């Protein structure tokens, strides 16, 4: 994991088309601004983890149902 320190209004650049800027820091809450192509999906990690888990469960269920139908 790369760990960087940034101050308000400082950014990091990811590749050629994604920029993440620190907008505000209040206590332990950091507000970030993200500039990325519109086609780039951006998710909060806790939501992404739920989506991945639900997709795995759905695939598992599809396989189970598929075996029952044979």
């Amino acid at each position: 994991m790369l760990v960087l320190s940034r101050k308000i209004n400082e950014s990091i650049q990811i590749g050629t088309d994604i920029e993440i800027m620190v907008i505000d820091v209040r206590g332990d809450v950091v507000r970030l601004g993200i500039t990325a192509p519109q086609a780039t999906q951006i998710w909060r990690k806790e939501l992404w983890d739920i989506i991945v888990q639900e997709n795995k469960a759905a695939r598992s269920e599809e396989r189970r149902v598929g075996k029952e139908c044979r």
Side-chain angles (χ1 to χ4, degrees), residues 6-70:
R6 300 279 75 203
K7 295 177 182 175
I8 293 175
N9 295 324
E10 292 183 339
S11 304
I12 62 169
Q13 186 74 30
I14 301 175
T16 59
D17 54 1
I18 298 175
E19 178 184 8
I20 301 174
M21 178 181 283
V22 177
I23 303 298
D24 190 24
V25 179
R26 293 182 187 178
D28 63 349
V29 176
V30 178
R31 293 182 65 214
L32 302 173
I34 303 170
T35 303
Q38 193 167 9
T40 302
Q41 293 186 4
I42 301 172
W43 298 88
R44 292 190 339 244
K45 179 70 165 88
E46 63 274 15
L47 293 179
W48 181 253
D49 291 342
I50 291 169
I51 291 167
V52 168
Q53 187 61 36
E54 288 180 354
N55 286 342
K56 284 181 184 178
R59 282 193 301 272
S60 178
E61 179 65 15
E62 287 173 359
R63 288 187 198 120
R64 187 187 65 74
V65 170
K67 287 180 182 178
E68 291 176 357
C69 292
R70 291 184 192 168

